[in-house]
Amino acid sequence: MRSVLCIGGAAVASAAGIVTYKAYKNRHDESSGDQSALLAEVLQGNEKLFNAKEQRFIAQLIKLGQRSLFESWPAPGTEDAGKRRLVAQLQQLDTHYPKGIAAYISNARQLLKDAREGKNAFEGFTPSVPHGERLDFGSPEFLSLEQGGLQEAGQAAFVLVAGGLGERLGYSGIKVALPCESATGTSFLGLYAAHILALQARSASSKRLPFAIMTSDDTHAHTQQLLEENSYYGLDKSQVTLIKQEKVACLVDNEATLGLDPKDPYAVQTKPHGHGDVHALLHTSGLAKKWQKEGFKWVCFFQDTNALVFRGLVAALGASARHDYDMNSLAVPRKAQEAIGAITTLRHKDGRSLTINVEYNQLDPLLRSTIMKDGDVNDATGWSPFPGNINQLVLKLSSYTHQLERTGGIISEFVNPKYKDSTKTAFKSSTRLECMMQDYPKALPHDSKVGFTTINQVWASYSPVKNSPQDALAKQKQGNPTHSATTGELDIYRANCAILAQQAGVKMAAPQAVTFNGLHADMHSVVV
């Protein structure tokens, strides 16, 4: 679209044709008058607290259906600081969301409409089991891929997604500060740093391996303090970068009305946008591009409290190199109906295909309506044929940076409103748009290579610490994985004992049945 303004009574070229400057000025004056009238109507004199730019921004929000943010303001001279604070926060939300708060509201309205109408995101797709590696921990094939991964590790950057507190664990601090086992008291962050240093020492390269940590408002300062108090756990300060995720506004109805904090009429309620923001942060920070220029080939993503991740991640890195994967998900076997996403290849009737994570509550109806009339059921192995997603990823940096340049790192969003009743007209509580890091391949070109690497022994690579002892006990009674501090620690010992037995021929004592916090488990020799 071309737009040229000629002041001297000539013409203004526009998509709509030729207009005179006088007509252009009249239109602008009318727009300004409409804005002034709108602000006067809603703000009742409070518009004078703000400069012209702020007034335009407020008017835009009102036109987007957000007048409830302002219409209960008291007269000028009362709580003016709070009014300015609210507008400043809204401007900050506008800055941090790609294409601004207007785009957020627009996206939210469409997604809320789709949710209310029960739109099927997988309409026209047929699922199938994707290509990937299924490995027994310590097997010759596992060791071969692990050896290949060790060679590639010197060309890898590492990204830890650590934006959460330990509230679900009954702990108010940051989760990465928790000890992963009680024998040495090593923290999760300290363990991850030790693994990166070990891979750095084993590599043929002299380069320091980059380590980025995605934080949040809740965790940023605490993570920085933890690193400084522990001298970065032996890492060079220059190889560690913190990238902070911002929050997004909460929505209180199907019209995407932004919600005020119940405790503060001059603050918008906000919540995290989801760990999918890590891709946009790696783009906007310039880190991904910087790593590529420095000669790195891979980016490895992992979560905050899975101490065993590097037991499988190195083999997954080897698989990525062998198959030239653009994206490789470290995965685990899953039981049918288990509350864990499934990595699935989807082929559309128009010829498109993609390999992505399908959430467990979407997988069963998708299978029933297409290839498996019984839905999500176990096969002859006693497991689902679809591997379980655990959000530990290996991405090829060359295709990743290209994709980041193309999309800005923006990941497909979703909304999950909790409705009061079947009419779906009101929410139980506010909601917000979210995005997930594992949805990255949704926007990849259709010829991209996307696969998975499953470690058949779940305890060997995935034993996250997510749940309090009380919640873990309830999950065990239901026959589900407990994902507790107890099992997280005991699985470390089990995996390390298996390595000594398999690779060094050490005869290990038989595990003993134990009970901690009511949880029944097997206690292997304490090997760290």
Side-chain angles (χ1 to χ4, degrees), residues 378-404:
N378 295 325
D379 61 18
T381 67
W383 298 89
S384 165
F386 296 91
N389 169 60
I390 57 174
N391 290 338
Q392 327 283 332
L393 312 175
V394 179
L395 304 186
K396 185 166 65 175
L397 192 52
S398 58
S399 57
Y400 184 51
T401 53
H402 176 76
Q403 187 69 4
L404 293 182

Side-chain angles (χ1 to χ4, degrees), residues 124-190:
F125 284 99
T126 299
S128 62
V129 178
H131 174 271
E133 296 279 0
R134 299 178 188 267
L135 307 171
D136 286 322
F137 184 62
S139 67
E141 181 64 5
F142 175 92
L143 294 175
S144 174
L145 286 172
E146 186 178 55
Q147 186 60 40
L150 285 171
Q151 295 172 4
E152 296 293 327
Q155 303 174 81
F158 297 88
V159 180
L160 169 62
V161 178
L165 298 172
E167 292 165 332
R168 284 174 59 186
L169 301 168
Y171 172 67
S172 61
I174 56 174
K175 289 187 282 185
V176 292
L178 287 167
C180 60
E181 38 81 5
S182 57
T184 66
T186 300
S187 69
F188 282 98
L189 187 55

Side-chain angles (χ1 to χ4, degrees), residues 485-522:
T486 298
T487 50
E489 177 173 1
L490 297 185
D491 284 341
I492 292 173
Y493 305 148
R494 182 178 183 179
N496 290 342
C497 286
I499 292 170
L500 286 179
Q502 293 171 358
Q503 305 307 313
V506 176
K507 186 172 178 60
M508 308 301 299
Q512 301 296 313
V514 294
T515 301
F516 295 113
N517 295 317
L519 297 174
H520 304 300
D522 290 333

